[in-house]
Amino acid sequence: YQRRVHGDPTCNSVKSLNIVQEKCIGKNTCSVLASDTVFGDPCSGRSKQLAVQYKCNNYDPKFIYNVVIPVGSQALVHIPTFGISPKAVIVTETKSIVWNKGQFTPTDGIISANPSGYEIIFNTGSGSYQFTLLY
């Protein structure tokens, strides 16, 4: 996933992959607006293009876990992967990808995540969360 200035392979938006993943992973269809407003403007004043090659894997939610952490608290939230390696699963929190096949992406309230056997342990601050396991 790269948003390139036509003819210039060195001018890319570093946010392209994350933006496309957030809009498309775990959904039956997706739409991504290719604009400077969405991706930024890595090469000011030049025309750009968005090229996406995407393979649908029919990720079905395998496990959904709703949890509320009281105000002023922190908690470790254990998400089971049901015998699947944490390097092979995706976990979303509401609509944001927080775990993508072994890589943690911080989001509001989720401080860290680490695999442990066949589960992923998320360190969270206070708030309401909906974790969804996909594979």
Side-chain angles (χ1 to χ4, degrees), residues 66-126:
N66 294 299
V67 61
V68 177
I69 310 303
V71 173
S73 300
Q74 280 191 325
L76 297 176
V77 178
H78 295 246
I79 302 298
T81 61
F82 303 99
I84 304 294
S85 168
K87 290 185 176 184
V89 301
I90 296 166
V91 177
T92 62
E93 192 290 305
T94 310
K95 294 186 179 187
S96 297
I97 296 169
V98 292
W99 184 265
N100 189 358
K101 299 180 179 179
Q103 297 294 318
F104 169 65
T105 301
T107 191
D108 289 340
I110 303 177
I111 301 158
S112 64
N114 292 295
S116 178
Y118 290 114
E119 66 180 4
I120 303 161
I121 303 170
F122 292 91
N123 184 2
T124 64
S126 58

Side-chain angles (χ1 to χ4, degrees), residues 18-86:
N18 287 338
I19 290 168
V20 171
Q21 286 178 332
E22 283 189 19
K23 296 206 176 266
C24 298
I25 288 181
K27 300 188 176 117
N28 292 329
T29 64
C30 68
S31 177
V32 181
L33 177 63
S35 73
D36 290 346
T37 305
V38 174
F39 290 94
D41 191 2
C43 295
S44 181
R46 299 183 63 190
S47 64
K48 295 148 190 96
Q49 65 183 7
L50 174 66
V52 176
Q53 184 177 15
Y54 200 82
K55 179 183 176 197
C56 293
N57 289 327
N58 294 328
Y59 289 113
D60 291 324
K62 303 298 182 192
F63 178 73
I64 298 172
Y65 184 55
N66 294 299
V67 61
V68 177
I69 310 303
V71 173
S73 300
Q74 280 191 325
L76 297 176
V77 178
H78 295 246
I79 302 298
T81 61
F82 303 99
I84 304 294
S85 168

